[in-house]
Structures are given as structure tokens and as C-alpha cells.
Amino acid sequence: DIQLTQSPSFLSASVGDRVTITCRASQGISSHLAWYQQKPGKVPELLIYGASALQSGVPSRFSGSGSGTDFTLTISSLQPEDFATYYCQQLKSYPYTFGQGTKLEIK
Amino acid sequence: EVQLVESGGGLVQPGGSLKLSCAASGLTFSGSALHWVRQASGKGLEWVGRIGSDADTYATTYGASVKGRFTISRDDSKNTAYLQMNSLKTEDTAVYYCTRLERSFYYDSSGYGYFYYMDVWGKGTTVTVSS
């Protein structure tokens, strides 16, 4: 199985900050990676697919990059509604594993 | 609008069984691959399994923690997918989400193919396994 490791697991930041979350795969997955945002008590929502393609309706302050084993999710200027938990997921091969999550909190 | 609505969750004793349903609307159901993802309280997301579309001959795949105990099926005439859970364990306690797997074609210097992603999620149904 392909393991995904996100870092950091917890991140404290302020409104307006630029933040980056990293996701590392245990083996190469080309660009078969998606990012999701989950707010407390809510359903996960798709942000990015294909490592860098922005899902329709997602603000342009979100961006993704990477290929192979190393990927990043960047939020260019944090907004109050961005404080949530973020998950990466590989969709290269079954099982479609998720990273352990990164909780983004308000500083 | 595409919608997925899960139902069937509840309290069950260890060793018991439960069958979840995922009712879909707003999509071509037979052509859609559906996945189940679960989340224990305060924990991360765990992929449970999937059932492919008619083009994929309704193939099923399962995560290691549920393989042999859980079975995913579908009834295209009812636009509904199911997750049959047997031999339940306390560690199966979680919110269970039904999701649609969508795909996007790509063509670049490395070749061509599809990127897959879970673009529609149901609100989830809660399963509690406890004596």
C-alpha cells in the first residue's frame, strides 16, 4: 500500500499568512493526488485534484504542486474560513489512502 | 445537482451486522463509480472500498481492515449503492461517507490518462459498534 505522510500535523497561523502543507508518498504516484478540506462537523470538500488542478468553485488562493513523491498545498493569504483540517489522498492505486491530516488553527 | 444520501447507520453489538445505503440523484448512476470512506470520531479519513461503474463491470475493491467482512453492491434500478458490514468490531465505529469518483482526462509530455478524485460526498451516517 502507498503511505502518505503530511507535515506538519498541526499548524498555527494568522489571517493573511501564506501557509504550505506538505504530503509525501512512500512511492511515486505521478500527479495522482487530491487535497480536501474538512471543517469541524462538516463533510470533506475537494480542493485540488491531479496535484495542481483547482476544483471548480474553489478560491484561487489555494494552489497545489508536486509530482512523484512530494506534493504541497499552498494557501496564499489565509482567510478566516480556511481554518480547518486538510487531507491529501493518492488515487494512483488501491487502496486510495489518505494522509493523516493537517489541522490549521488560528494563532 | 448531484446528491448522495447515506442511511442505515445505528448501534450494533460487536459481531453483528449492518447494511448502509447510499441513494444517489442528479447523476448517471450506472456510469458512476462509488466509494465508501469512514472517519472515527476525532480521527482522519480512511478509505473503505469501492464499486465500479457498468463500464468497469462493477468491480469491487476493499481496504485491508474490512476485507472479508464488508461487501459493497449496487442496484442501478434504484440508484442506490450498499455497504454490507458483517462481523463488526468496535474499531468499525465511525461516520461512513459515500462518495462519487469523478475523472478528468489529461494529456501532457508524460503521456495521457485520467486523474481521479472524489468530488461529491454524502453527509454520512454514523455506525456505533458497542455492547
Side-chain angles (χ1 to χ4, degrees), chain A residues 1 31-32 34 36 38 42-44 46 49-50 55 87 89 91 94-100, chain B residues 35 37 39 43-47 50 61 97 101 104 106 114-119 121-123:
Chain A
D1 295 0
S31 296
H32 295 276
Y36 303 88
Q38 187 179 32
K42 300 296 184 181
V43 176
L46 176 69
Y49 64 92
Q55 170 69 348
Y87 295 93
Q89 182 195 27
L91 300 103
Y94 292 116
Y96 282 174
T97 43
F98 291 89
Q100 82 278 14
Chain B
H35 292 231
V37 174
Q39 185 172 37
K43 303 297 184 182
L45 301 170
E46 180 186 8
W47 183 82
R50 65 109 185 187
T61 312
Y97 297 104
L101 189 74
S104 176
Y106 72 90
Y114 290 99
F115 290 129
Y116 293 93
Y117 48 95
M118 296 176 178
D119 68 331
W121 295 62
K123 294 189 182 303

Side-chain angles (χ1 to χ4, degrees), chain A residues 23-35:
Chain A
C23 179
R24 175 163 288 177
S26 60
Q27 62 190 80
I29 57 171
S30 183
S31 296
H32 295 276
L33 188 98
W35 290 96

Side-chain angles (χ1 to χ4, degrees), chain B residues 22-84:
Chain B
C22 171
S25 60
L27 73 163
T28 304
F29 188 77
S30 63
S32 298
L34 297 169
H35 292 231
W36 290 89
V37 174
R38 69 183 181 183
Q39 185 172 37
S41 181
K43 303 297 184 182
L45 301 170
E46 180 186 8
W47 183 82
V48 173
R50 65 109 185 187
I51 186 163
S53 67
D54 53 359
D56 194 27
T57 62
Y58 305 118
T60 55
T61 312
Y62 301 93
S65 62
V66 307
K67 193 172 184 179
R69 300 187 299 123
F70 290 12
T71 302
I72 300 173
S73 61
R74 60 192 293 160
D75 184 340
D76 288 356
S77 69
K78 296 182 178 179
N79 283 8
T80 302
Y82 304 97
L83 178 63
Q84 175 68 47

Side-chain angles (χ1 to χ4, degrees), chain A residues 30, chain B residues 106 108-112:
Chain A
S30 183
Chain B
Y106 72 90
D108 59 25
S109 58
S110 67
Y112 64 92

